[in-house]
Amino acid sequence: MTTYGLLIDYEFCTNCGSCQVSCKEEHAYPVGKTGIKVLSDGPWKIDDEHWNWNYFPVLTDLCDLCAERAAVGREPMCVHHCLANIITYGPVEELAKKLEEKPKQFLMVPEFNPIVSRGKFVPTGKSKHQAAHIEVQGTGKASYAVHRHDTKVGEIDETAELGD
């Protein structure tokens, strides 16, 4: 039986988050859960003119390589939606050959192990609106968030805590 995996060329990952969002949407994972997560190394100064900042899309125990899609000959959602085209799906033997050709890549073979990680999104009860939220931390000088929300500006009480 052929083993499949993902070859990830992290040299060109821009941390756009499309792999995470498409995975969450495909599998209906609740807030805070995903089959792939982008981790960061940096920024740190190499010398007076250069900085290092790498992003690493890493599979979690929720990744099943989109088994239902793969069963009908389609690629996993993270591969399909990767804006930088850095994620390659295929047999591990073929991916290992590509790995030898270029540094700054890694090969991952997930072991789907969801335990109780999967669940339905539960709204806070504050309103009828639901949102998916990804928060991205910057260098400590700034942080920003990307929201998909159907609430109008001014309807959100920014001082309220989740679960209230």
Side-chain angles (χ1 to χ4, degrees):
M1 186 172 156
T2 305
T3 301
Y4 287 83
L6 296 179
L7 180 64
I8 299 173
D9 180 351
Y10 66 89
E11 182 176 12
F12 299 106
C13 179
T14 62
N15 192 28
C16 69
S18 63
C19 57
Q20 294 176 148
V21 173
S22 62
C23 177
K24 287 180 69 60
E25 293 297 318
E26 175 71 11
H27 297 288
Y29 289 135
V31 172
K33 306 292 183 194
T34 184
I36 188 167
K37 183 174 178 83
V38 180
L39 304 177
S40 174
D41 171 37
W44 49 271
K45 201 169 190 176
I46 297 171
D47 57 35
D48 288 339
E49 297 180 23
H50 300 93
W51 287 81
N52 182 76
W53 198 340
N54 290 310
Y55 296 105
F56 306 97
V58 178
L59 303 180
T60 73
D61 282 346
L62 289 176
C63 178
D64 66 353
L65 289 175
C66 292
E68 289 179 22
R69 290 176 57 84
V72 294
R74 300 180 75 192
E75 59 192 5
M77 289 300 281
C78 61
V79 177
H80 181 76
H81 286 282
C82 179
L83 298 176
N85 198 29
I86 63 152
I87 306 173
T88 304
Y89 169 74
V92 170
E93 288 184 19
E94 291 177 22
L95 297 176
K97 290 175 186 171
K98 290 182 180 182
L99 179 61
E100 291 177 355
E101 298 170 7
K102 183 188 179 295
K104 288 201 160 195
Q105 297 187 100
F106 57 89
L107 177 58
M108 296 194 76
V109 179
E111 291 187 23
F112 185 58
N113 185 20
I115 308 172
V116 293
S117 297
R118 208 169 182 169
K120 192 172 182 179
F121 176 77
V122 180
T124 63
K126 281 242 166 202
S127 71
K128 62 183 177 185
H129 305 293
Q130 295 184 2
H133 173 82
I134 301 171
E135 186 171 333
V136 182
Q137 294 296 325
T139 63
K141 295 180 181 175
S143 66
Y144 59 94
V146 178
H147 296 271
R148 185 190 74 202
H149 205 289
D150 61 347
T151 301
K152 295 177 185 170
V153 174
E155 286 185 347
I156 300 172
D157 179 1
E158 293 178 2
T159 61
E161 293 185 28
L162 289 176
D164 285 344

